[in-house]
Amino acid sequence: MLAGLAVLAFIVLEFFAIRFSWKAITSTRTSQGAVGWVVFLIAAPYLGVPLYLFLGHHKFNNYLIARRDSEQVIDSLRDFANANAPETETVIPVEPFERIAELPAVRGNSMQLLIDGEQTFEALFAAIDAAQTYVLVQFYIINDDGQGRALRERLIAAANRGVSVRLMFDAVGSAKLKAGFLDPLREAGVEMADPEQARGPKNRYQLNFRNHRKTVIVDGTIGFTGGFNVGDEYMGLNPKFGDDWRDTHAVLRGPIISQLQLIFAEDWHWATEQNIVQGLEWEAPYAPENMTGMIMPTGPGDDMETGALFFFSAIVAAKQRLWIASPYFVPDTDVLTALKHAALRGVDVRILVPEVIDHTIPWLAAFAYFDEIRAAGVEVWRYDSGFMHQKVVLVDDGLAAIGTTNMDNRSFRLNFEAMALFFDSRAAEATAQMLEADFARSFRLEKNLAEQPAKVRYGAPIARLFSPVL
């Protein structure tokens, strides 16, 4: 009897192994990846089939996009683009980025950099405290600690004075949040897209897909995005990382807020099936700085691999300077080749990564790429004054991007991300000054992999094997 059940179970597993193998052959991005999955699935179905369910997908089917789901929104976007079109031509062409984002570059914006936890949370909390009609909040991680409770208190206070408050957080990033933290928010009337109740990845064997966006919008007139989540470590209070948690957030004003708000509405629509577009303010006043900007949303719900295409487009646009700060460096082949080609063209290419470890496998995997890019002339800088978590891209004197997208395969094709792009020399200059200060607190990598300690020499090639999901 038991033998018969075992044979039946093996036949069922082999059926799914063959089915998933065909899916891997037809959908995996590289032939090497397809071969790897096929061999693994057929040779070890007991391991391969369960792992493929969680890790074998790179597209999030049926993700409902609010702007594609409503003709009225599409028409409004067209009118929005015409009404807010840039008045002058930008140094860096906007067209590739517009096509990737399916959103237009618009004039009338401003951007202010926030470079530490004190600046960021002071500005965030002040904006929430000043809210008059609504607050939209989304973070990958919210911790039940001092900083998390400070956010909760402000959201409850806003709701108590009649402000509409909506809150989203990721099921994986905020997995430790319990009812004791969330119940007071519900009792105050805060609406939540609770991952425990949402119809998102948590319920579809797709935990590998994560919403990594970090957004706060107040009254449709001021917005925030960047690298900061909500937790004490982002204030430099975790001894593991020291008292210097280096991150970057940005305060946004102008029509770009409407785009950031639209992305929030899309995510809310997916999680709750509620369309909140009609209840929001879509006429943000122009900022006097009049910068041309746009939001670049990317994720596995898109038809194209938009995350990788964003980086590729930024790299090929560079003529003099390309500076990228990212806590993780696990690029795909196309982006890796583009980086090397940019350096070979004479572009000043610098990659700023942390020396301090937060996640060991991606930290090790990065070393497997450093020799290759350094040989082409790319400079690798390692921030060692604390942990560096910012996601920043600077191209020449014409493009600065701040947001949530890391330079790794996870951000390229597995996470939902967002970057704020500014095609403006003033934004580029402010970003350059910020990064120059970071380089001054970093050291340039000079050692090859063969000269690294044993754990790096042997760990990096092994960690690189996991690069498709890092």
Side-chain angles (χ1 to χ4, degrees):
M1 179 68 175
L2 291 176
L5 289 175
V7 170
L8 179 62
F10 181 78
I11 292 173
V12 171
L13 279 172
E14 282 293 348
F15 169 78
F16 281 106
I18 293 170
R19 179 180 176 183
F20 291 163
S21 294
W22 177 250
K23 186 174 181 180
I25 291 170
T26 57
S27 65
T28 303
R29 189 170 181 272
T30 65
S31 58
Q32 297 94 328
V35 169
W37 272 118
V38 170
V39 171
F40 187 35
L41 285 162
I42 300 300
Y46 287 101
L47 291 175
V49 169
L51 281 175
Y52 190 84
L53 282 170
F54 287 95
L55 303 178
H57 312 281
H58 70 281
K59 287 294 181 186
F60 196 173
N61 295 328
N62 301 321
Y63 187 85
L64 300 183
I65 304 297
R67 63 190 133 132
R68 298 174 189 163
D69 203 48
S70 167
E71 287 188 17
Q72 181 179 359
V73 174
I74 293 172
D75 290 341
S76 297
L77 269 177
R78 189 179 300 111
D79 295 340
F80 175 82
N82 293 332
N84 299 289
E87 296 170 328
T88 58
E89 188 174 350
T90 58
V91 175
I92 305 296
V94 302
E95 289 80 9
F97 302 96
E98 290 180 320
R99 295 193 66 181
I100 295 168
E102 298 185 21
L103 290 170
V106 292
R107 69 178 187 272
N109 306 292
S110 72
M111 178 270 284
Q112 176 190 351
L113 294 172
L114 304 171
I115 63 171
D116 59 35
E118 184 177 353
Q119 285 186 6
T120 298
F121 289 108
E122 181 180 346
L124 277 173
F125 292 164
I128 293 172
D129 291 344
Q132 297 180 6
T133 55
Y134 64 86
V135 177
L136 310 176
V137 178
Q138 178 180 25
F139 284 100
Y140 176 62
I141 296 172
I142 301 176
N143 288 332
D144 185 0
D145 57 16
Q147 210 60 27
R149 289 188 288 273
L151 173 65
R152 182 180 64 179
E153 290 172 6
R154 281 163 172 83
L155 296 181
I156 290 173
N160 285 340
R161 65 176 186 268
V163 174
S164 170
V165 180
R166 291 185 173 94
L167 173 64
M168 280 193 288
F169 48 88
D170 184 78
V172 175
S174 300
K176 295 180 180 179
L177 279 187
K178 305 300 182 186
F181 181 90
L182 299 173
D183 285 347
L185 288 160
R186 292 192 182 95
E187 292 165 4
V190 173
E191 295 184 66
M192 279 186 288
D194 189 342
E196 293 293 337
Q197 302 172 5
R199 59 193 180 98
K202 187 176 180 64
N203 300 326
R204 295 175 177 268
Y205 296 104
Q206 292 175 326
L207 284 172
N208 202 33
F209 296 128
R210 302 173 191 170
N211 198 318
H212 196 237
R213 292 167 181 159
K214 305 157 183 73
T215 299
V216 175
I217 300 165
V218 175
D219 297 339
T221 59
I222 182 171
F224 301 81
T225 193
F228 280 92
N229 288 293
V230 184
D232 286 350
E233 64 267 35
Y234 296 88
M235 294 291 290
L237 299 177
N238 188 330
K240 175 183 176 181
F241 302 110
D243 60 2
D244 178 21
W245 181 284
R246 177 67 188 90
D247 221 327
T248 299
H249 232 60
V251 185
L252 314 177
R253 290 180 174 83
I256 195 173
I257 300 300
S258 295
Q259 296 183 345
L260 189 64
Q261 192 166 250
L262 182 61
I263 306 311
F264 182 97
E266 291 176 358
D267 289 344
W268 189 270
H269 188 193
W270 165 246
T272 68
E273 298 188 55
Q274 297 175 6
N275 191 332
I276 62 172
V277 168
Q278 300 299 326
L280 304 179
E281 172 59 50
W282 298 98
E283 296 292 336
Y286 283 178
E289 291 83 353
N290 196 29
M291 295 180 179
T292 295
M294 63 179 292
I295 297 296
M296 171 66 67
T298 61
D302 299 332
D303 293 332
M304 296 188 294
E305 292 186 337
T306 47
L309 281 170
F310 158 67
F311 273 100
F312 189 90
S313 299
I315 294 166
V316 300
K319 293 181 172 59
Q320 291 88 34
R321 171 172 64 184
L322 174 69
W323 295 354
I324 299 173
S326 172
Y328 315 112
F329 183 77
V330 191
D332 64 6
T333 301
D334 294 339
V335 170
L336 193 68
T337 300
L339 281 173
K340 293 186 291 184
H341 188 258
L344 292 171
R345 287 189 282 115
V347 177
D348 173 14
V349 183
R350 304 186 198 181
I351 306 296
L352 179 63
V353 293
E355 174 71 4
V356 176
I357 302 172
D358 73 328
H359 298 298
T360 301
I361 293 179
W363 185 88
L364 282 171
F367 280 92
Y369 300 91
F370 289 155
D371 286 0
E372 187 176 349
I373 61 173
R374 288 176 58 242
V378 176
E379 296 181 8
V380 176
W381 290 79
R382 302 190 65 79
Y383 188 89
D384 62 350
S385 295
F387 183 65
M388 190 212 74
H389 189 250
Q390 63 180 326
K391 304 90 165 56
V392 176
V393 178
L394 175 67
V395 179
D396 297 344
D397 296 321
L399 172 61
I402 296 93
T404 72
T405 310
N406 298 311
M407 200 168 193
D408 61 12
N409 282 295
R410 172 160 293 283
S411 280
F412 288 176
R413 52 186 57 90
L414 295 176
N415 287 349
F416 293 92
E417 308 278 9
M419 297 289 282
L421 278 56
F422 288 89
F423 301 86
D424 188 275
S425 60
R426 293 160 296 177
E429 177 58 26
T431 304
Q433 291 180 11
M434 177 186 73
L435 291 177
E436 284 168 351
D438 291 333
F439 290 132
R441 304 180 70 185
S442 310
F443 68 90
R444 181 173 171 178
L445 181 66
E446 301 290 353
K447 294 182 179 179
N448 293 326
L449 182 59
E451 302 172 280
Q452 297 293 337
K455 71 172 185 178
V456 177
R457 291 200 310 273
Y458 298 111
I462 295 172
R464 185 173 181 168
L465 296 175
F466 298 93
S467 62
V469 294
L470 293 179

